[in-house]
Amino acid sequence: MLTALAIRDVVLIEALDLEFGAGLDALTGETGAGKSILLDALGLALGARGDTALVRHGATQAIVTATFDAPTGALAVLLDDNGVAVEPGEPLLIRRIVKADGGSRGFVNDQPAGAALLREMAPMLVEIHGQHDDRGLLAPAGHRDLLDTFGRIDARATARCWVALRDAEAALAAARADIETAARDREWLAHAVDELTTLAAQPGEEETLADQRRTMQRAEKIADDLAQIDDFLDGSDGGLAKLRQAARVLERIAPDHDSLAEALAAIDRAVNEGASAEDRLRDARAALTYDPRALEDDEARLFELRAMARKHRVQPDELPALADDLRTRLDRLEAGEGGVAALAKSVAAAREDYVAAATALSAARRGAAARLDAAVAGELAPLKLDTARFRTSVAPIDPAGWNASGQDRVEFEIATNPGAPFAPLTKIASGGELSRFILALKVALAEEGGAATMIFDEIDRGVGGAVASAIGERLARLAEVTQLLVVTHSPQVAARAAQHLLIAKSHDGTVTRTGVRRLDEQERREEIARMLSGAIVTDEARAQAGRLLETA
């Protein structure tokens, strides 16, 4: 809901701060007082073109700030998707600045926002209906959703069937494309599968072969060193043999002195450590065995794996998976139309499910259309549209246009005269008729929701008496479910308002300004009397104004 509007330096408005409440707000004033400026200012905040002509003469920039209730639902999601942070429960402030020398800037809660985002937010915040409006109810693109909401129709089953159908069609198309591609490359595919099968690469094989190769290459380099160590330790002239000979001599003379006994113990320890060293060397020789043939075989296998990987532009470890993938493609090709036939059956079944769901949806829409037509028809006669007819056209669309919302094109149509053909609203309705049709539709669709704020711009133009009273009564009913702002010249409509704003021009001899003020009960009676009688307000007009206010 729109709660406040602050305007600075817009056309004839120097500074204006307005507050709005729930229900029906009437905006009145003499012709030319500047009522359209308010709508232009609000439109500017909601992303309308930033025309420099809106900047008041002598000012450097025009600023409009619109305040709304805290955003919820789709609006909150839209703001979040665009990186605009809004604290829960905090009001929504939209500010637009237009400079006199060109250029404009937008802000949402003091965060920069482009005009495109403001325009996307606008229909979620405000609906503006004027005699030349081509949005909202007049846009056929939204009629189907409006009908579904009015009829409380759930289209989700049709949407699910549509997704299933599209998935099945995509799988069939992919299978056919694979077969077509595979058929063109059959010879290459068969050869690739054969050579990969022959190669029989294993996961991790390249790393294992590389490790073995490095080990054997290292063994080759240290083989001479190991042989030299053997010469030092093994044989009758080796170090260990000499130590054992020394130990045998010491055993005979060790009892002669304690130091000899200690020396014998030390040599025994050396012999034991030397034996341990021999065991470790033996293990090392076993692990570092250098086999020229084995090294050659490992290198040949390693180079073969890497060459195959380069050929197919994959890593060596990916060769087993590649072999499986190419084999699957070849199997699919060899399976031929069998797999495609199965997928085609799946598509046919999914299409049947979708058609069944969409047919049921169409039937529900036709039923809802009949109820909506009856509801609108009940509103036409009091609005002096008793010769007009309204219908909700639910027509099938070409299968190429089927989608998740079904198989229907929904459009609101009217025939203004008996025997005249039905046509879209904008094609045959005059300005006054169009506004009244919109009102009738809005009343019928009152529970549909939509924007929290609606504005009707001179919906009562060219009518009076009973028709104006009927318009006022319906606007009041509509204001029970949404905030309603009405720019009006009709006293019958103004009398229905919960709040009354007067728009007037003032002159100080050099500058003309437009101002707006909220009327109290006495001022409101006087304004309605002026609307009834014209420039000279008579006592009879005041009395009539009082009766209108009492009966509203």
Side-chain angles (χ1 to χ4, degrees):
M1 183 178 77
L2 177 67
T3 59
L5 185 64
I7 304 173
R8 298 290 183 273
D9 295 320
V10 175
V11 192
L12 297 178
I13 298 175
E14 184 174 7
L16 187 62
D17 293 286
L18 298 173
E19 292 184 356
F20 301 95
L24 179 60
D25 280 15
L27 290 83
T28 66
E30 295 182 358
T31 300
K35 295 184 291 296
S36 63
I37 299 176
L38 290 179
L39 299 186
D40 289 342
L42 180 58
L44 184 64
L46 296 175
R49 180 174 174 269
D51 193 341
T52 56
L54 291 173
V55 181
R56 187 174 64 87
H57 179 69
T60 59
Q61 62 184 18
I63 305 175
V64 180
T65 304
T67 305
F68 296 87
D69 287 337
T72 58
L75 178 58
V77 172
L78 174 64
L79 292 172
D80 185 63
D81 289 345
N82 283 273
V84 178
V86 180
E87 291 295 326
E90 291 297 314
L92 178 68
L93 274 71
I94 301 176
R95 187 168 78 255
R96 187 88 181 277
I97 301 173
V98 177
K99 294 185 177 182
D101 57 1
S104 68
R105 291 180 295 158
F107 301 87
V108 176
N109 283 27
D110 292 325
Q111 299 166 73
L117 175 59
L118 300 183
R119 286 192 293 271
E120 194 172 356
M121 294 167 58
M124 303 180 188
L125 293 167
V126 177
E127 288 183 28
I128 300 178
H129 298 290
Q131 295 196 41
H132 305 292
D133 182 45
D134 59 357
R135 299 163 296 169
L137 292 177
L138 303 187
H143 292 176
R144 184 171 57 198
D145 289 341
L146 287 171
L147 178 62
D148 286 353
T149 304
F150 171 81
R152 292 180 171 83
I153 297 170
D154 188 351
R156 287 177 295 181
T158 301
R160 286 193 296 270
C161 290
W162 174 253
V163 171
L165 174 58
R166 294 302 300 272
D167 288 346
E169 289 176 338
L172 176 59
R176 285 174 171 165
D178 283 349
I179 288 176
E180 182 179 349
T181 301
R184 292 196 302 266
D185 301 330
R186 183 187 186 107
E187 183 177 349
W188 173 88
L189 191 59
H191 173 72
V193 169
D194 182 63
E195 66 178 3
L196 285 169
T197 301
T198 301
L199 182 65
Q202 300 300 315
E205 185 179 4
E206 186 219 13
E207 183 178 357
T208 300
L209 289 170
D211 288 344
Q212 292 176 182
R213 177 171 174 253
R214 283 192 295 271
T215 299
M216 283 192 285
Q217 287 174 335
R218 182 59 182 160
E220 182 182 13
K221 291 180 181 179
I222 66 174
D224 291 341
D225 293 333
L226 290 175
Q228 188 176 9
I229 292 171
D230 285 343
D231 291 341
F232 290 149
L233 294 178
D234 292 341
S236 58
D237 293 329
L240 283 176
K242 297 295 186 183
L243 285 173
R244 291 188 180 99
Q245 290 174 6
R248 285 195 293 272
V249 174
L250 277 173
E251 284 178 354
R252 293 196 302 271
I253 63 175
D256 293 335
H257 195 278
D258 290 342
S259 295
L260 293 175
E262 291 174 0
L264 176 60
I267 289 175
D268 285 341
R269 289 195 298 272
V271 169
N272 290 334
E273 289 297 326
S276 178
E278 282 187 316
D279 292 340
R280 301 289 81 76
L281 287 168
R282 191 179 302 111
D283 292 341
R285 279 194 297 270
L288 295 170
T289 299
Y290 168 59
D291 183 346
R293 175 59 64 87
L295 176 59
E296 183 179 341
D297 291 344
D298 283 353
E299 287 184 334
R301 176 67 174 175
L302 183 61
F303 296 155
E304 189 177 14
L305 287 172
R306 291 175 175 174
M308 188 68 72
R310 285 194 301 272
K311 178 179 179 178
H312 291 283
R313 298 181 181 179
V314 297
Q315 295 300 315
D317 278 351
E318 297 172 357
L319 288 172
L322 175 64
D324 291 341
D325 179 58
L326 296 183
R327 191 176 296 109
T328 299
R329 289 174 57 187
L330 185 60
D331 290 344
R332 188 182 300 156
L333 174 61
E334 292 173 346
E337 293 299 320
V340 171
L343 289 172
K345 288 182 180 179
S346 297
V347 169
R351 184 178 295 275
E352 288 181 5
D353 292 342
Y354 170 75
V355 169
T359 299
L361 180 60
S362 297
R365 283 173 175 156
R366 287 192 293 272
R371 296 193 300 276
L372 178 59
D373 293 350
V376 174
E379 301 293 334
L380 296 181
L383 296 174
K384 203 175 180 181
L385 295 169
D386 45 317
T387 62
R389 293 170 295 149
F390 171 87
R391 78 175 181 187
T392 305
S393 171
V394 182
I397 58 178
D398 187 89
W402 291 357
N403 54 48
S405 297
Q407 305 170 347
D408 310 307
R409 180 181 62 254
V410 177
E411 187 168 3
F412 300 147
E413 298 177 334
I414 59 170
T416 54
N417 297 302
F422 282 94
L425 289 172
T426 53
K427 298 296 184 183
I428 59 175
S430 66
E433 288 175 329
L434 191 56
S435 295
R436 281 177 279 153
F437 268 114
I438 290 172
L439 178 59
L441 264 173
K442 269 300 178 184
V443 171
L445 295 168
E447 295 183 3
E448 167 267 328
T453 299
M454 291 177 55
I455 298 175
F456 281 93
D457 184 14
E458 299 187 357
I459 190 175
D460 49 16
R461 174 176 291 184
V463 302
V467 177
S469 181
I471 290 174
E473 188 271 331
R474 280 153 180 79
L475 288 171
R477 279 166 48 195
L478 194 54
E480 293 175 1
V481 294
T482 188
Q483 181 189 45
L484 208 61
L485 277 64
V486 180
V487 177
T488 181
H489 289 286
S490 168
Q492 290 89 343
V493 172
R496 291 278 185 175
Q499 299 160 96
H500 192 148
L501 302 175
L502 176 64
I503 304 171
K505 284 183 180 179
S506 62
H507 306 269
D508 63 3
T510 58
V511 178
T512 300
R513 296 181 177 86
T514 290
V516 181
R517 62 187 179 88
R518 189 176 301 277
L519 303 182
D520 59 25
E521 285 301 316
Q522 182 59 39
E523 291 171 330
R524 187 179 178 194
R525 187 186 302 271
E526 192 70 12
E527 170 62 8
I528 293 176
R530 181 199 65 77
M531 297 170 72
L532 285 165
S533 62
I536 299 176
V537 180
T538 64
D539 290 339
E540 175 56 29
R542 291 187 178 94
Q544 179 63 18
R547 287 191 290 272
L548 284 175
L549 288 169
E550 289 171 1
T551 58

